[in-house]
């Protein structure tokens, strides 16, 4: 409290100053409130009924002459410097309506964030950068990526590799002790180097695929958000969203950031991703305007202002702690793991037998060294030599296990999936779930939408009926003003689209769904509608948004001029027609709709549908005064007055008929499921080639209500014949998928709406639409078709078969190597007591077939021949009879030739033991190189067809040959080889090249349908 001392006139002067200063503060506060200046001070104190905190600045402004200028306004604009982000975050997180009220409500919050309710933010680059600096960007911290060293450790953390490394270290130690460092390191050191080479190549391959999957993962997260900036509605990446943005929300959208509802109609949100509660929460301005990032819009539409983004949202905090597992194991990978395990056990058994035989022969004195003397002479033999020999035999046995275990099978799947995912992205298909790539190859039925998938989704109003009269371009002027006004209201008020008048052009910018855009364009151009004028003339009381179940939307509005309430309906023509009892004619007269008139309107709708037009009706009803107090949801849906009918044309996509024919040739059935009426559906199906005009259509075309009312027995009986389902609901689509799966089909389904999510999840392969698809649909799907084109669906089918086919090629190639390597070493060890292929040589073969072979065969691109075969069903075996025929023929040939070289090679070729072993090793590797060509086509005799298109395959073959020459000619001690002359190289190449004519002859042998050996593909 101020205490006044001194003389009376001094006390009066102080009192005057205090009163004057109080007045100044009061005036300043009013100016701040009038100018919408942020009411947040450095101490983060907010306005309340009892106080107001302001940022006091020097308001005394002088002009250029140094004189006071009362006309100058004080400069109080300090954007966002005094806004507490933590307060905004907590307000939404805690749903603290009281704190929102302290801001001054939603309007004042918009002012604080410098956002216009209609025009949004400025949107200039400087403004966006400043907002990101102050509030952060809409990105969350991702868990650290898996480092390359982790992949090296995982590759090294293999029991067989560790045992082999132990043997190599022991061999290295004994070798150095016996022969010194200069010569003693070769045997053990060579194995160590070979092991590290295998580990590094495997690690690099896995590291690259991991990075590729992470890149694809980030692309799946980049969704488009509709925002309003500078008065224009425009799509932006979710990562470009900033605090203050006005976001447009519709059914199926994901809320991109925390925020507050600005305006909404019947808005409901699924917050289960945040709260775990399955109930949908109603959002409205009065009590609960708060929206959480990551939640989904389940009904209605509206706009919100973003208050927090990225790590300042609960969703961002949660996502930053979640590591998305990119090493998802697909069904085929799981099946191949079991196959590899079975082969590994067989290899282990062979290796144990070989080890026992080698040890018995050694300790019984039957093993002879290079000098022709026995290696073991009882107690006379040096203990170091005994240990060295034992370690060498153990190394050989362990190496057999390394070669026998086909680690390349899972790697081949990974490489194939990674390659196909990358290529499919270029072909307008983004894979969200790895298993979908391989499952698509087994698809037997595709259930497809019509709009946007089979058609272009570029709609245009081509017919307009007012009463019983069609309105042509030159007769629009004759429409009665009353009817014209009601039509303009019916379009302008009952829409989720927008019309933006740009100053730079006379043509307005229209946004929204293709249907809404077509209707708005027609209303603006032909009816002369001003959407802003319509919205200003009426107050919207209630909105029922359109969804695929109701197939209609409604708006209840009160006219500002006379306070009269009326309801406007828009939707499927026959459904709206059933609700009408009267209609307008062109002259504006209201006439009663009797049964004959109703049939005439029905005929008009059928005629438009037969021309492949989508029929939409407009109707309205004046709400009587006594019904004004009724609940908006309970208003009577009868007694409507028909305003008019329009027909929208959506042309079929170019190439869709050919794509449908390709599916039929591939043994895949196409079923069209649409919300259009039965006549439109039938016309489009004939245009696309799904139906033929000369066939019986009684059982081929059915309505959704008929399908769902079938008994289970009837449905299962007729499901194969049905090819078109019209007026279907999302439940009908789900029922169709479930019925087809019960019949044993592998089903692919396309969908774009929120209500399609159950069918997309139920299907074996869910295909969502990238352009028109909602975020709910995309999250429920396995693959996103980026261009919404049915031709891309067929491309996915082709790639799915390519993945499966490439994996089968590699299985055939690898099993050939396994059978040959095991047989040669086993027979040689048992009969001669020695193995012709050393540990280093077998590791080199392992590298060729596991990594390089997988890379060569897994990157074959799909051909049209893949669509000339029937689909691979659920129960088809993984290794077909054709594969068994090819691999056994090649394996028998290789084993026979190499065993002849083993036992008779020195006599036939007149060479010593070391050269003979080098010839066996060289011939064995070259056989695998030539057999890679054979593996490219399992049934075609011409294995060179299309080879020039796969440069990677040719590059790998060339690289393998070069490395083999280096191994034989220049790494003698490392690989335990001897240099070969030209004649010996010619002999090796000639023996290996014989695999080509053998493969050609073998493919002439027919195979039985009865399975030779069963390795079945697991259910997908």
């Amino acid at each position: 409290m101020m205490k006044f001392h001194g003389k009376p006139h001094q006390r009066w002067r102080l009192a005057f100053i205090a009163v004057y200063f109080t007045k100044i503060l009061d005036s300043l506060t009013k100016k701040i409130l009038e100018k919408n200046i942020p009411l947040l001070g450095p101490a983060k104190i907010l306005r309340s009924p009892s106080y107001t905190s302001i940022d006091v600045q020097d308001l005394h402004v002088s002009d250029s002459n140094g004189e006071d200028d009362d006309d100058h306004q004080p400069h109080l604009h300090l954007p966002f410097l005094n806004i507490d982000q933590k307060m905004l975050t907590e307000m939404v997180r805690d749903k603290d309506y009281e704190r929102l009220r302290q801001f001054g409500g939603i309007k004042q919050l918009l002012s604080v964030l410098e956002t216009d309710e209609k025009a949004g933010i400025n949107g200039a680059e400087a403004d966006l950068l400043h907002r990101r600096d102050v509030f952060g960007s809409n990105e969350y911290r991702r868990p650290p990526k898996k480092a390359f060293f982790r992949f090296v450790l995982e590759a090294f953390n293999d029991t067989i590799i560790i045992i082999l490394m132990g043997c190599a270290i022991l061999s290295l130690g004994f070798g150095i002790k016996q022969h010194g460092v200069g010569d003693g390191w070769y045997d053990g050191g060579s194995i160590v180097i070979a092991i590290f080479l295998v580990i590094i190549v495997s690690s690099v391959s896995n590291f690259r695929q991991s990075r590729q999957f992470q890149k694809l993962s980030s692309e799946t997260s980049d969704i488009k958000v509709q925002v309003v900036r500078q008065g224009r509605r425009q799509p932006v990446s979710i990562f470009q969203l900033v605090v203050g943005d006005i976001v447009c929300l519709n059914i199926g959208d994901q809320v991109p950031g925390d925020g507050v509802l600005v305006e909404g109609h019947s808005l409901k949100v699924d917050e289960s991703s945040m709260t775990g509660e399955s109930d949908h929460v109603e959002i409205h301005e009065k009590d609960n305007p708060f929206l959480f990032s990551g939640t989904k819009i389940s009904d209605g539409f509206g706009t919100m202002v973003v208050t927090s983004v990225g790590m300042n949202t609960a969703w961002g905090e949660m996502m930053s702690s979640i590591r998305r597992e990119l090493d998802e194991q697909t069904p085929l990978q799981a099946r191949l793991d079991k196959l590899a395990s079975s082969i590994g056990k067989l290899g282990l058994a062979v290796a144990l037998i070989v080890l026992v035989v080698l040890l018995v022969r050694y300790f019984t004195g039957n093993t002879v060294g290079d000098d022709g003397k026995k290696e073991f002479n009882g107690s006379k033999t040096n203990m170091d030599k005994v240990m060295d020999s034992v370690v060498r035999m153990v190394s050989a046995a362990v190496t057999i296990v390394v070669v026998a275990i086909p680690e390349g099978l899972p790697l081949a799947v990974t490489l194939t999936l990674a390659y196909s995912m990358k290529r499919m992205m270029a072909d307008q298909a983004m894979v969200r779930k790895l298993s979908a790539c391989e499952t698509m190859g087994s698809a037997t039925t595709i259930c497809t939408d019509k709009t946007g998938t089979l058609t272009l989704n570029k709609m245009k109003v081509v017919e307009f009926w007012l009463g019983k009269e069609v309105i042509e371009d030159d007769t629009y002027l004759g429409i009665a003003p009353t009817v014209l006004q009601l039509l303009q209201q019916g379009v302008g008020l009952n829409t989720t689209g927008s019309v933006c008048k740009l100053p730079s052009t006379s043509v307005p910018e229209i946004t929204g769904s293709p249907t809404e855009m077509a209707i708005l364009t027609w209303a603006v151009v032909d009816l002369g509608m001003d959407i802003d004028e319509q919205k200003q003339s009426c107050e919207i009381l209630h909105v029922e948004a359109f969804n695929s179940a109701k197939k209609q939307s409604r708006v209840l509005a009160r006219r500002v001029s006379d306070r009269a309430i009326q309801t406007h309906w828009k939707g499927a023509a026959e459904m709206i027609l059933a609700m009408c009892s009267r209609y307008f004619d062109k002259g504006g007269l209201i006439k009663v709709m009797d049964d004959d008139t109703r049939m005439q309107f029905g005929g008009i709708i059928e005629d438009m549908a037969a021309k492949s037009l989508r029929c939409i009706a407009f109707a309205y009803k004046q709400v009587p005064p006594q019904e004004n107090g009724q609940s908006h949801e309970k208003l009577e849906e009868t007694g409507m007055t028909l305003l008019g009918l329009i027909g929208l044309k959506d042309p079929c996509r170019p190439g869709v008929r050919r794509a449908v024919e390709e599916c039929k040739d591939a043994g895949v059935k196409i079923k069209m499921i649409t919300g259009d009426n039965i006549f439109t559906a039938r016309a489009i199906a004939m245009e696309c080639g799904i139906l033929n005009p000369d066939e019986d259509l009684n059982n081929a075309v059915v309505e959704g209500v008929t399908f769902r009312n079938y008994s289970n027995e009837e449905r299962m009986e007729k499901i194969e014949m049905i090819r078109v389902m019209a007026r279907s609901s999302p439940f009908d689509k789900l029922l169709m998928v479930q019925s087809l799966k019960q019949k044993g089909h592998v089903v692919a389904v396309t969908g774009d709406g929120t209500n399609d999510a159950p069918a997309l999840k139920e299907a074996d392969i869910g295909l969502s639409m990238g352009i028109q698809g909602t975020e709910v649909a995309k999250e429920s799907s396995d693959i996103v078709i980026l261009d919404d084109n049915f031709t891309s669906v067929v491309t996915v089918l082709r790639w799915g078969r390519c993945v499966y086919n490439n994996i089968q090629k590699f299985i055939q190639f690898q099993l050939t190597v396994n059978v040959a390597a095991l047989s040669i070493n086993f027979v040689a060890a048992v009969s001669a007591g020695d193995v012709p292929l050393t540990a280093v040589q077998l590791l080199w073969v392992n590298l060729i077939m596991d990594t390089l072979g997988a890379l060569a065969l897994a990157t074959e691109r799909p051909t049209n021949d893949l669509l000339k075969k029937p689909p691979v069903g659920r129960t088809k075996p993984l290794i077909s009879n054709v594969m068994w025929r090819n691999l056994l023929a090649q394996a028998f040939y290789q084993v026979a030739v190499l065993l002849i070289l083993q036992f008779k090679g020195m006599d036939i070729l007149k060479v010593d033991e070391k050269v003979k072993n080098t010839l066996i090793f060289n011939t064995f590797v070259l056989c695998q190189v030539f057999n890679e060509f054979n593996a490219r086509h399992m049934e075609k005799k011409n294995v060179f067809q299309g080879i020039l298109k796969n440069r990677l395959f040719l590059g790998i073959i060339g690289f393998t040959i070069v490395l083999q020459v280096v191994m034989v000619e220049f790494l003698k001690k490392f690989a335990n080889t001897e240099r070969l002359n030209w004649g010996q190289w010619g002999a090796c190449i000639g023996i290996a090249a014989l695999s080509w004519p053998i493969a050609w002859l073998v493919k002439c042998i027919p195979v039985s349908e009865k399975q030779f050996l069963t390795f079945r593909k697991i259910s997908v």
Side-chain angles (χ1 to χ4, degrees):
M1 181 180 293
M2 295 180 73
K3 292 184 179 181
F4 298 105
H5 301 282
K7 298 177 180 179
H9 70 276
Q10 291 176 331
R11 291 197 297 268
W12 276 109
R13 185 182 297 171
L14 286 171
F16 176 79
I17 292 171
V19 171
Y20 181 77
F21 184 72
T22 304
K23 289 284 186 183
I24 290 291
L25 287 177
D26 183 60
S27 174
L28 180 57
T29 302
K30 288 179 179 177
K31 284 186 178 182
I32 290 173
L33 292 174
E34 288 170 359
K35 292 181 173 297
N36 294 328
I37 303 301
L39 301 179
L40 296 168
K44 311 297 184 291
I45 303 173
L46 287 174
R47 176 192 177 201
S48 79
S50 60
Y51 61 81
T52 299
S53 176
I54 60 175
D55 188 8
V56 179
Q57 301 181 30
D58 184 10
L59 305 183
H60 191 78
V61 182
S62 299
D63 64 12
S64 57
N65 298 321
E67 299 177 357
D68 293 345
D69 187 356
D70 294 335
D71 295 332
H72 280 73
Q73 298 295 329
H75 181 69
L76 295 175
H77 182 66
L78 290 174
F80 319 131
L81 292 182
N82 297 324
I83 298 178
D84 186 2
Q85 174 64 68
K86 184 179 179 183
M87 187 176 290
L88 291 172
T89 301
E90 290 175 351
M91 178 184 70
V92 176
R93 185 191 64 198
D94 301 336
K95 295 189 176 183
D96 191 342
Y97 194 78
E98 178 60 29
R99 188 169 289 182
L100 177 61
R101 198 174 64 80
Q102 288 179 0
F103 269 101
I106 295 173
K107 302 288 185 185
Q108 188 62 35
L109 178 63
L110 289 168
S111 176
V112 167
L113 295 174
E114 298 197 359
T115 301
D116 185 272
E117 182 179 350
K118 300 296 182 185
I121 63 173
N122 178 274
E125 191 62 34
D127 180 43
L128 296 176
L129 285 172
H130 183 57
R131 289 175 186 271
R132 291 192 187 101
D133 288 341
V134 175
F135 302 110
S137 59
N138 198 25
E139 295 180 353
Y140 54 85
R141 289 191 299 269
R142 299 177 184 273
K145 295 179 180 178
K146 204 172 175 182
F148 175 73
F149 186 67
R150 289 278 303 279
F151 288 96
V152 174
L153 286 178
E154 286 178 4
F156 189 81
N157 191 23
D158 181 273
T159 307
I160 303 299
I161 291 291
I162 292 172
I163 294 172
L164 196 57
M165 182 62 79
C167 293
I169 293 171
L170 287 174
S171 177
L172 184 64
F174 288 123
I176 291 173
K177 185 177 180 181
Q178 281 184 327
H179 307 291
V181 177
D183 297 321
W185 71 272
Y186 287 117
D187 287 343
S190 299
I191 298 174
V192 171
I193 293 171
I195 289 171
F196 273 108
L197 185 63
V198 171
I199 288 173
I200 293 300
V201 170
S202 175
S203 302
V204 168
S205 176
N206 289 331
F207 177 74
R208 289 185 69 251
Q209 305 324 317
S210 174
R211 286 291 183 266
Q212 186 172 330
F213 288 144
Q214 285 173 345
K215 182 182 177 184
L216 289 170
S217 173
S218 64
E219 289 178 1
T220 63
S221 304
D222 186 10
I223 63 177
K224 293 297 180 184
V225 181
Q226 290 287 333
V227 301
V228 179
R229 291 179 180 174
Q230 295 180 323
R232 291 180 62 236
R233 184 169 166 175
Q234 52 191 286
V236 299
S237 166
I238 191 172
F239 302 127
Q240 299 301 315
L241 197 73
V242 295
V243 168
D245 261 324
I246 296 290
V247 179
C248 303
L249 301 172
N250 287 298
I251 294 177
D253 287 349
Q254 175 179 314
V255 179
D258 285 359
V260 178
L261 183 69
V262 175
E263 181 185 11
H265 302 286
S266 306
L267 197 66
K268 290 185 179 180
V269 175
D270 178 5
E271 295 184 351
S272 58
S273 60
M274 295 298 297
T275 64
E277 299 293 333
S278 58
D279 294 336
H280 293 177
V281 179
E282 190 171 344
I283 306 294
H284 44 79
E285 298 96 319
K286 292 182 180 179
D287 301 320
N288 181 27
F290 304 106
L291 291 150
F292 294 137
S293 176
T295 56
K296 308 292 189 303
I297 305 299
S298 58
D299 199 7
F301 61 93
T303 57
M304 66 171 277
V305 60
V306 179
T307 58
S308 301
V309 294
M311 291 304 297
N312 293 318
T313 67
W315 177 258
E317 291 176 9
M318 183 175 69
M319 291 303 292
S320 67
S321 63
I322 296 174
R323 180 190 292 273
R324 181 175 175 184
E325 291 299 327
L326 298 170
D327 53 348
E328 164 204 352
Q329 190 175 50
T330 69
L332 188 54
Q333 281 175 320
R335 182 68 184 92
L336 289 174
D337 281 348
K338 292 182 180 179
L339 176 61
S341 176
S342 301
I343 296 173
K345 289 175 183 176
L346 177 63
L348 183 61
V350 172
L352 286 173
I353 294 172
V354 168
L355 179 60
V356 169
V357 169
L358 291 176
L359 289 172
V360 169
R361 289 182 65 90
Y362 177 79
F363 286 109
T364 56
N366 291 317
T367 304
V368 180
D370 294 335
D371 54 3
K373 297 179 180 179
K374 292 182 180 180
E375 289 192 359
F376 182 75
N377 288 313
S379 58
K380 298 178 182 179
T381 308
N382 188 293
M383 191 62 186
D384 288 343
K385 287 187 177 181
V386 173
M387 288 300 299
D388 186 42
S389 299
V390 170
V391 166
R392 190 178 69 250
M393 288 182 278
V394 171
S395 297
V398 172
T399 308
I400 290 174
V401 177
V402 172
V403 175
I405 296 175
E407 301 102 330
L409 289 179
L411 177 63
V413 178
T414 305
L415 287 170
T416 303
L417 292 175
Y419 176 77
S420 62
M421 283 173 68
K422 185 177 179 181
R423 292 294 183 181
M424 284 167 74
M425 181 69 84
D427 288 343
Q428 303 299 315
M430 182 171 67
V431 178
R432 298 187 75 255
K433 192 176 179 183
L434 289 179
S435 58
C437 287
E438 63 194 43
T439 309
M440 195 65 191
S442 304
T444 58
T445 303
I446 299 175
C447 298
T448 178
D449 288 333
K450 175 188 76 71
T451 306
T453 308
L454 297 173
T455 60
L456 284 171
N457 212 9
K458 294 181 179 178
M459 298 194 183
K460 183 181 179 182
V461 176
V462 295
E463 278 193 33
F464 171 42
W465 288 77
L466 187 52
K468 301 176 185 178
E469 185 178 348
V470 64
I471 305 298
E472 304 291 349
D473 291 341
D474 56 349
T475 59
Y476 273 90
L477 296 174
I479 300 175
T482 307
V483 180
L484 189 62
Q485 184 183 17
L486 287 170
L487 279 168
Q488 290 175 348
Q489 288 178 354
V491 175
L493 300 177
N494 191 6
T495 183
T496 56
S498 65
V499 180
C500 179
K501 296 177 182 177
L502 300 175
S504 58
T505 175
S506 59
V507 180
E509 185 178 72
I510 298 174
T511 56
S513 69
T515 304
E516 293 288 356
M517 288 172 63
I519 295 172
L520 285 172
T521 302
W522 166 72
V524 169
V525 175
D526 293 339
L527 300 183
M529 180 192 73
D530 185 329
I531 194 168
D532 294 330
E533 181 183 316
Q534 297 303 324
K535 291 188 175 181
Q536 290 167 8
S537 66
C538 295
E539 176 192 355
I540 295 177
L541 303 176
H542 180 70
V543 173
E544 285 186 12
F546 178 90
N547 64 45
S548 53
K550 295 182 293 188
K551 294 184 172 44
Q552 52 197 320
S553 61
R554 178 185 73 138
V555 62
L556 187 72
R558 179 187 288 120
R559 285 203 301 263
V560 175
S561 58
D562 57 5
R563 311 300 291 172
I565 296 178
Q566 56 191 23
T567 180
H568 284 275
W569 289 86
K570 175 182 72 178
E574 66 270 26
M575 292 185 175
I576 299 294
L577 182 65
M579 297 160 56
C580 295
S581 58
R582 300 182 299 174
Y583 69 96
F584 272 109
D585 67 6
K586 183 181 176 183
L589 295 176
I590 298 178
K591 297 184 178 181
V592 176
M593 188 182 297
D594 55 23
D595 291 341
D596 290 338
T597 307
R598 194 178 298 277
M599 288 183 64
Q600 288 178 340
F601 278 116
I604 292 171
I605 293 170
E606 288 184 17
D607 289 341
M608 282 198 286
K611 291 183 280 188
S612 303
L613 301 185
R614 170 178 282 188
C615 308
I616 292 178
F618 296 93
Y620 105 107
K621 179 182 180 181
Q622 193 77 27
V623 180
Q626 63 269 22
E627 293 185 20
N628 284 358
Q630 288 189 21
S631 171
H632 302 322
E633 290 82 359
K634 296 179 181 177
L635 287 173
E636 195 69 34
E637 296 182 359
T638 58
M640 310 291 292
T641 303
L642 184 67
L643 289 174
L645 300 167
I646 59 171
L648 291 88
K649 180 67 176 176
D650 186 12
C652 280
R653 287 184 179 273
V656 73
R657 190 179 185 91
R658 181 182 174 187
V660 169
E661 291 300 325
E662 285 180 344
C663 286
K664 289 181 177 179
D665 293 341
V668 179
K669 296 179 179 178
I670 306 297
K671 298 184 186 294
M672 187 178 84
I673 303 175
T674 177
D676 283 337
N677 70 40
I678 196 166
F679 304 103
T680 305
R682 184 183 295 160
I684 291 289
M686 286 186 178
E687 197 174 338
C688 295
I690 296 172
L691 294 175
N692 297 320
D694 55 349
E695 64 182 326
D696 180 20
L697 302 180
N698 289 331
N699 293 319
V701 184
V702 67
E703 285 192 326
V705 64
T706 306
F707 182 75
R708 84 177 75 109
N709 289 331
Y710 283 148
S711 66
N712 190 54
E713 291 75 18
E714 281 182 298
R715 196 178 299 117
M716 298 305 288
E717 180 185 343
K718 296 182 179 181
I719 190 78
E720 299 284 0
M721 294 181 285
I722 296 172
R723 273 175 289 160
V724 176
M725 186 158 66
R727 281 289 178 246
S728 64
S729 68
F731 174 76
D732 298 327
K733 182 183 280 191
L734 176 62
L735 193 59
M736 171 74 81
V737 173
Q738 290 171 337
S739 301
L740 286 167
K741 289 180 73 174
Q742 285 179 26
K743 291 284 283 186
H745 286 274
V746 178
V747 186
V749 170
T750 69
D752 56 9
T754 303
N755 291 329
D756 289 328
L760 289 168
K761 287 182 177 179
E762 179 69 24
D764 296 292
I765 313 103
L767 304 162
S768 64
M769 301 295 110
I771 299 173
Q772 291 302 316
T774 64
E775 290 309 313
V776 173
K778 290 176 186 176
E779 286 200 0
S780 302
S781 67
D782 305 308
I783 297 173
V784 180
I785 305 300
L786 299 176
D787 61 354
D788 291 14
N789 194 341
F790 184 78
T791 306
S792 298
V793 177
V794 180
T795 302
V796 173
L797 176 67
R798 189 183 288 112
W799 270 110
R801 293 194 175 187
C802 179
V803 167
Y804 194 77
N805 193 51
N806 285 349
I807 291 169
Q808 283 190 312
K809 292 175 187 177
F810 181 71
I811 291 172
Q812 176 183 303
F813 170 70
Q814 181 152 44
L815 289 184
T816 304
V817 182
N818 287 348
V819 170
L822 286 175
S823 300
I824 294 161
N825 273 8
F826 177 73
V827 173
V830 171
S831 58
D834 193 15
V835 287
L837 299 174
T838 66
V840 173
Q841 292 170 354
L842 284 175
L843 284 171
W844 167 235
V845 172
N846 190 59
L847 181 66
I848 291 174
M849 67 180 185
D850 270 3
T851 305
L852 299 180
L855 194 60
L857 294 172
T859 53
E860 289 281 352
R861 301 203 66 175
T863 62
N864 290 328
D865 292 335
L866 293 171
L867 294 182
K868 294 178 182 177
K869 302 175 183 177
V872 180
R874 293 179 187 273
T875 57
K876 285 291 181 73
L878 184 61
I879 306 176
S880 65
N881 283 353
V882 170
M883 293 167 66
W884 281 120
R885 177 196 66 188
N886 296 340
L887 75 88
L888 289 176
Q890 291 294 329
F892 286 151
Y893 168 69
Q894 290 180 22
V895 170
V897 168
L898 296 178
L899 287 179
I900 289 172
L901 287 176
Q902 169 68 14
F903 296 109
K904 298 293 182 181
M906 290 191 292
D907 297 332
I908 296 173
L909 301 173
K910 309 298 182 186
V911 292
D912 60 21
E913 181 78 20
K914 277 198 169 185
V915 173
K916 180 205 73 175
N917 287 340
T918 303
L919 286 168
I920 292 174
F921 166 59
N922 199 35
T923 303
F924 183 62
V925 171
L926 292 177
C927 278
Q928 311 322 316
V929 171
F930 279 87
N931 195 36
E932 276 190 75
F933 286 88
N934 293 330
R936 290 187 68 245
H937 296 290
M938 290 184 285
E939 295 185 69
K940 277 188 178 180
K941 295 177 181 177
N942 182 8
V943 296
F944 304 106
Q945 184 177 346
I947 196 167
L948 295 178
K949 294 179 181 178
N950 193 345
R951 295 180 181 178
L952 182 60
F953 179 88
L954 294 174
I956 289 172
I957 293 294
F959 181 66
T960 304
I961 292 172
V962 169
L963 286 182
Q964 180 63 17
V965 171
V966 171
M967 287 278 285
V968 171
E969 298 294 325
F970 302 103
L971 298 177
K972 292 170 56 181
K973 291 189 176 181
F974 172 77
N976 198 20
T977 57
E978 289 292 326
R979 299 187 70 172
L980 303 178
N981 59 36
W982 287 106
Q984 291 163 346
W985 269 101
C988 293
I989 294 171
I991 293 170
L994 280 175
S995 63
W996 283 350
I998 289 172
W1000 190 89
L1001 290 171
V1002 166
K1003 287 174 183 176
C1004 296
I1005 302 172
V1007 292
S1008 170
E1009 292 295 325
K1010 188 177 179 181
Q1011 189 57 25
F1012 172 61
L1013 285 175
T1014 304
F1015 287 97
R1016 290 193 178 277
K1017 181 176 184 276
I1018 69 168
S1019 295
V1020 291

